[in-house]
Amino acid sequence: MTHRFHVSILAEPQALCRVLGVIAQRSLVPDRLDVSRAGDQLEIALEIAGITADVARLVAARLEAQVLVVRVALSSLARMEATEAPPPHSARERDLIDPAPPQ
């Protein structure tokens, strides 16, 4: 499934790097990225395919925690055919969703 993130962030020089840094920390690469300036804010729309809803919510929460972020909205885009099965969780996604307890 593809997830779309809409981020409103103050238009500061490091703003875009902060948003992309959150994505990079999860070893993700956006499939689409659109940025426009609206007054004193940047409006960022990015899409990431192949992640679960749990991982998408985790990324959205991390984005909301960034200093310059004003608002984050998350939506899902169903681009799969009804007969296709969703991709299995990768080991990395499983660790993000349900980390193993320390030993």
Side-chain angles (χ1 to χ4, degrees), residues 44-97:
I44 302 170
L46 57 96
E47 294 179 7
I48 302 174
I51 61 173
T52 65
D54 290 331
V55 171
R57 283 190 295 271
L58 178 68
V59 169
R62 297 284 193 242
L63 288 168
E64 287 176 337
Q66 293 299 303
V67 174
L68 301 172
V69 170
V70 175
R71 181 181 58 85
V72 176
L74 172 63
S75 58
S76 299
L77 305 172
R79 290 193 174 165
M80 279 190 256
E81 296 296 323
T83 57
E84 289 184 42
H89 289 296
S90 69
R92 173 106 173 111
E93 285 180 326
R94 282 192 302 273
D95 289 344
L96 289 172
I97 295 167

Side-chain angles (χ1 to χ4, degrees), residues 9-19 37 40 42 44 68:
I9 189 167
L10 296 178
E12 297 290 330
Q14 71 274 20
L16 188 56
C17 292
R18 285 182 182 270
V19 171
R37 186 170 182 159
D40 65 344
L42 294 177
I44 302 170
L68 301 172

